[in-house]
Amino acid sequence: MTELSEAPAPARLTAGAPVGPGTAGEGRRVPAWLWALVPVSVLGVAFLYPLALVVQQSLTPEGGDGVFGAYADVFTSAAFHEALGTTVWLALGATAGSLLLGFALALVIAFVPFPGARALARFIDVFLSFPSFLVTLALLFVYGTVGMANGLWTDLTGAAGGPFRFLATPWGVLLAEITYFTPFVMRPLLAAFSQLDTVQMEVASSLGARPARIVRRVVLPEALPALAAGGGLVLVMGLNEFGIVLFTGAKGVTTLPMLVYGKAILESDYPAACVVAVVNVAISVGLFGLYRVVSKRAGA
């Protein structure tokens, strides 16, 4: 009878390991590069190849201006400077507003007991799946030129029009972005607060510390990694937001994605549109790399 100790060990499928029955060294070996062939091919076809076409189109000379002629024309245009400035300040404003509002709401949901707190926390997960234009349409139904708020105003006062017209301004775009992006800050904060040791808060409260001091000294240090993660995500998303700006119909608010749309669809200037797209991608990738470095140092 064969000893149990002499029974063959079960085969393991690893990159470079023999495949099929037999002892070590027998059978065919699967090259390590073969395991990465399928995901790399999918990534190349779905993302890298279209991105390469955009870069190639941005370098396509038009009218004999040279390889970088489209870049020179775009970088010296006032429309690009205005769109870049608008994109940056909207993204920074949305990030700051989402951080402040998200931190305050997450504190209430996590530490202030009230009926429906758990249901509200779960609704945030559902809200993250909503498209940005849906939130914008909801705001338009309430605060738009012909929305509910203006309708109530005209019914009560008999005026020809209502006073709520801010959604068609840059501040309306900023409000819509803060409304949409705030849950992206709240989600990591709620996860961080769920792991916070409440004993420290109870000790600080028993020693006479006020709620504001407890938040500043106990809660905020623990929330910094989550704030860095949520804020970095909102900043990158804000730089690339298109649906909110388009659906608010704000006149004079042109961001880099809107400039790409205008150059490609309205003006049929594809080299200029590709230049703006390349710049937008470069800024986003650079900020994402910076976000990874900061979040890694912060422990996020």
Side-chain angles (χ1 to χ4, degrees):
M1 181 180 293
T2 306
E3 299 291 338
L4 292 177
S5 59
E6 296 178 359
R12 295 181 179 179
L13 185 60
T14 57
V19 177
T23 59
E26 296 182 359
R28 294 184 302 169
R29 292 179 178 272
V30 179
W33 60 267
L34 193 59
W35 296 97
L37 183 61
V38 174
V40 170
S41 300
V42 173
L43 180 64
V45 173
F47 175 72
L48 296 179
Y49 179 66
L51 181 60
L53 290 180
V54 172
V55 175
Q56 180 187 12
Q57 185 69 26
S58 70
L59 297 173
T60 302
E62 192 173 81
D65 295 332
V67 176
F68 295 99
Y71 282 86
D73 294 339
V74 170
F75 289 168
T76 56
S77 65
F80 173 77
H81 295 161
E82 181 181 355
L84 180 61
T86 302
T87 303
V88 170
W89 88 259
L90 278 177
L92 292 176
T95 302
S98 299
L99 286 174
L100 293 174
L101 183 59
F103 184 70
L105 293 178
L107 281 177
V108 173
I109 293 175
F111 301 116
V112 179
F114 64 92
R118 296 184 62 181
L120 183 59
R122 292 178 181 177
F123 174 75
I124 293 173
D125 295 334
V126 179
F127 188 91
L128 297 179
S129 64
F130 290 173
S132 59
F133 71 85
L134 185 62
V135 177
T136 308
L137 283 178
L139 289 175
L140 287 173
F141 282 135
V142 178
Y143 298 110
T145 305
V146 293
M148 295 172 56
N150 282 327
L152 289 175
W153 178 271
T154 55
D155 290 341
L156 293 174
T157 63
F164 302 102
R165 302 179 182 274
F166 60 89
L167 278 181
T169 67
W171 299 108
V173 176
L174 182 61
L175 173 64
E177 291 191 355
I178 292 175
T179 304
Y180 178 67
F181 291 141
T182 294
F184 290 90
V185 176
M186 296 176 63
R187 183 64 269 171
L189 280 175
L190 290 175
F193 290 162
S194 65
Q195 301 178 1
L196 183 63
D197 187 5
T198 58
V199 175
Q200 302 180 30
M201 302 174 61
E202 294 173 358
V203 170
S205 179
S206 64
L207 294 176
R210 295 181 177 275
R213 184 178 179 87
I214 295 175
V215 171
R216 186 173 66 254
R217 292 297 183 88
V218 180
V219 178
L220 185 58
E222 297 294 331
L224 285 179
L227 284 172
L233 178 63
V234 170
L235 182 60
V236 174
M237 293 175 63
L239 288 171
N240 298 280
E241 181 54 45
F242 174 75
I244 290 178
V245 183
L246 179 65
F247 274 82
T248 53
K251 297 180 180 179
V253 179
T254 303
T255 59
L256 290 180
M258 286 294 296
L259 188 60
V260 173
Y261 173 80
K263 291 292 185 181
I265 304 301
L266 303 181
E267 302 179 20
S268 298
D269 190 354
Y270 297 108
C274 290
V275 169
V276 180
V278 169
V279 173
N280 203 4
V281 170
I283 295 175
S284 300
V285 172
L287 282 177
F288 179 76
L290 180 62
Y291 152 72
R292 293 293 298 173
V293 173
V294 172
S295 61
K296 185 177 180 179
R297 292 184 177 180

